[in-house]
Amino acid sequence: MTARLTLRVLPPAPRYGTPFDVGAVGFDEGWWISRWHEGGGPDADAITLSLDGDEVARAMVLHDGPEAEHVGLVPLTDPVELTRIEVAEQHRGRGLGRDAVLAIARHYAGRDIWGHGDAAAFYEKTGWTRYERADGDTSIVPFFVLHP
């Protein structure tokens, strides 16, 4: 049985700020606080996922499509990019990453979600399809799509 996470898209952050709770424990501060704007934060959906009122995961989602061509990849349907996702350290190992991806997929129902990730096993276990670059470049982390 999967946990039923509550997903919220946070309001935009003030200039060079973060929309996330800076006091939350277990998250990579560099991702969510000091580098939020460098990673596209002003144009991103800041997603927080909670279980019983406790924030257990975060994600950054951009409204764009991939630039490179990939073998076998057909045009994506209204794509969004999952640029970052993190389960709080104290909640890891409980399947909440999978549950967070499922909640994000429900939120963006009918849309293709894509991303680059070096955690290939995680993406493959959570239903993503891996595509290789058409130009053969293997220097970039793997490319995955979660089709609706």
Side-chain angles (χ1 to χ4, degrees):
M1 181 174 158
T2 61
R4 188 65 174 175
L5 298 178
T6 302
L7 181 147
R8 280 189 318 124
V9 177
L10 300 173
R15 185 179 176 129
Y16 300 110
T18 179
F20 293 102
D21 175 3
V22 297
V25 176
F27 293 101
D28 183 330
E29 184 176 311
W31 280 14
W32 308 110
I33 299 170
S34 60
R35 294 195 187 106
W36 173 254
H37 280 261
E38 292 172 20
D43 299 318
D45 288 345
I47 295 175
T48 181
L49 298 119
S50 58
L51 183 62
D52 299 326
D54 185 23
E55 183 181 28
V56 296
R58 294 177 173 178
M60 173 191 273
V61 175
L62 291 171
H63 296 264
D64 64 6
E67 294 178 15
E69 291 185 25
H70 294 82
V71 176
L73 182 64
V74 298
L76 299 180
T77 303
D78 198 14
V80 292
E81 177 186 7
L82 180 62
T83 60
R84 293 185 186 143
I85 186 166
E86 182 181 24
V87 173
E89 188 173 8
Q90 68 273 21
H91 294 290
R92 293 178 189 159
R94 297 173 39 200
L96 293 172
R98 179 192 64 243
D99 295 341
V101 168
L102 292 172
I104 291 167
R106 280 191 302 273
H107 180 75
Y108 294 103
R111 300 176 76 174
D112 283 305
I113 304 170
W114 67 276
H116 288 101
D118 53 7
F122 169 78
Y123 285 100
E124 290 163 357
K125 284 192 313 190
T126 54
W128 297 65
T129 303
R130 182 176 178 160
Y131 294 92
E132 301 302 326
R133 285 178 59 110
D135 63 8
D137 186 350
T138 58
S139 67
I140 299 174
V141 292
F143 175 81
F144 295 92
V145 176
L146 183 63
H147 297 285

